[in-house]
């Protein structure tokens, strides 16, 4: 039985290395694992300091769940992580994020021995310009045009990618519409990761019910973190099913 089948969907908290002190990471990771996190994503669209590796090392002190890189560029890599979302910004037409950052990243990923997970990254317009839009210099797919997202996701499948990430943007005014999630998953047949703009457990549950295989929660936990709040999101994403942890 796969992890997805055990838990309903994967609960993936996203940690921005610029928004947490390394000294707070071990306790945060412990609480997130106890709440039901299936893995921790670490990364940022824009970073002022080189704090990635200290944050990952500190997170590892508090958890045994996988730590997966969610890089904004070729600079967002560390050999201390278990894997990296090897992202292609397929919804944009900026060659830097279609191929250039990937070419720069590939030798480092090989040298560091990190598992690459090829993922199509689709920005979905859900209200308000976000940091990722500014940094990537790309326009999002309109949230009310699911057919455009469907075509991009199908292209990702034919290109050999293993999942599609539907991203509303960190702190977006609204999450990716559930109807768009369902349409993309049914049409392209790829696992779907949904993130951005999910501020309440009910919205996380709606993404799961629409067919999301994994739900990413970032700002909603950064701004108001508590173990109870993390547990509420985990329960919404898991559909009430408890993850099975391996025995020590």
């Amino acid at each position: 039985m796969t992890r997805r089948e055990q838990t309903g969907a994967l609960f993936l908290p996203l940690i921005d290395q610029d928004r947490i002190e390394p000294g707070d990471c071990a306790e945060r990771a412990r609480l997130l694992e106890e709440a039901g996190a299936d893995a921790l994503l670490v990364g940022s669209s824009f970073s002022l300091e080189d704090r990635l590796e200290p944050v990952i090392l500190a997170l590892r002190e508090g958890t045994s769940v996988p730590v997966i890189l969610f890089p904004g560029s070729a600079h967002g890599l560390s050999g201390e992580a278990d894997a990296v979302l090897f992202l292609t910004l397929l919804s944009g037409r900026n060659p830097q994020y279609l191929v250039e950052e990937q070419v720069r990243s590939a030798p480092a990923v090989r040298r560091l021995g990190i598992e690459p997970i090829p993922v199509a990254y689709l920005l979905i317009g859900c209200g308000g310009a976000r940091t990722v839009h500014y940094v990537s210099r790309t326009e999002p797919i309109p949230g009310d045009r699911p057919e455009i997202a469907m075509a991009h996701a199908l292209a990702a499948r034919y290109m050999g990618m293993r999942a599609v990430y539907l991203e509303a943007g960190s702190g977006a005014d609204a999450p990716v519409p559930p109807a768009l999630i369902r349409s993309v998953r049914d049409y392209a047949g790829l696992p779907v990761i949904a993130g951005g703009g999910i501020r309440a457990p009910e919205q996380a549950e709606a993404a799961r019910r629409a067919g999301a295989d994994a739900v990413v929660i970032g700002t909603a936990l950064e701004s108001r973190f508590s173990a109870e709040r993390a547990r509420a999101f985990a329960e919404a994403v898991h559909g009430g099913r408890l993850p099975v942890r391996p025995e020590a």
Side-chain angles (χ1 to χ4, degrees):
M1 180 180 291
T2 66
R3 189 73 171 167
R4 167 74 163 85
E5 291 170 332
Q6 290 176 352
T7 62
L10 302 182
F11 170 46
L12 304 179
L14 170 60
I15 294 173
D16 186 325
Q17 67 267 25
D18 271 7
R19 298 183 181 181
I20 190 169
E21 293 299 323
D24 298 330
C25 286
E27 178 68 3
R28 179 68 58 88
R30 182 184 70 80
L31 292 172
L32 286 170
E33 180 175 359
E34 289 179 356
D38 297 290
L40 302 180
L41 297 184
V42 183
S44 176
S45 297
F46 186 82
S47 184
L48 290 174
E49 300 179 52
D50 186 13
R51 297 173 52 177
L52 181 62
E53 199 146 292
V55 164
I56 293 174
L57 288 170
L59 289 171
R60 284 199 171 282
E61 293 178 8
T63 184
S64 60
V65 302
V67 176
I68 301 173
L69 296 170
F70 182 32
S73 71
H75 299 292
L77 299 174
S78 167
E80 299 299 331
D82 296 291
V84 56
L85 298 185
F86 201 77
L87 302 169
T88 296
L89 184 50
L90 204 60
S91 60
R93 299 298 181 266
N94 182 346
Q96 180 179 352
Y97 296 98
L98 278 170
V99 65
E100 290 178 12
E101 293 294 336
Q102 292 80 357
V103 171
R104 292 190 181 109
S105 300
V109 170
R110 184 178 189 272
R111 173 173 50 81
L112 294 170
I114 318 166
E115 178 189 358
I117 305 171
V119 175
Y121 192 52
L122 306 186
L123 297 181
I124 309 298
C126 297
R130 312 313 313 166
T131 302
V132 66
H133 302 158
Y134 177 82
V135 171
S136 66
R137 301 189 301 281
T138 62
E139 291 294 325
I141 295 171
D144 60 354
R145 295 295 303 275
E147 67 275 15
I148 300 176
M150 291 159 62
H152 280 75
L154 186 62
R157 176 183 169 184
Y158 291 165
M159 293 166 71
M161 297 181 189
R162 289 165 53 186
V164 57
Y165 194 129
L166 301 177
E167 171 70 275
S170 177
D173 295 339
V176 176
L180 189 146
I181 294 173
R182 172 64 65 191
S183 295
V184 166
R185 196 179 193 286
D186 289 349
Y187 187 72
L190 279 177
V192 170
I193 305 167
I198 300 176
R199 302 173 185 273
E202 294 78 13
Q203 293 172 317
E205 181 180 6
R208 172 183 59 78
R209 288 184 178 276
D213 297 271
V215 181
V216 177
I217 308 295
T219 303
L221 288 176
E222 287 175 349
S223 59
R224 293 173 50 204
F225 182 82
S226 70
E228 293 75 17
R229 186 165 168 79
R231 193 172 301 113
F233 274 107
E235 289 174 356
V237 174
H238 291 154
R241 288 180 257 180
L242 296 176
V244 179
R245 301 293 184 200
E247 294 184 3

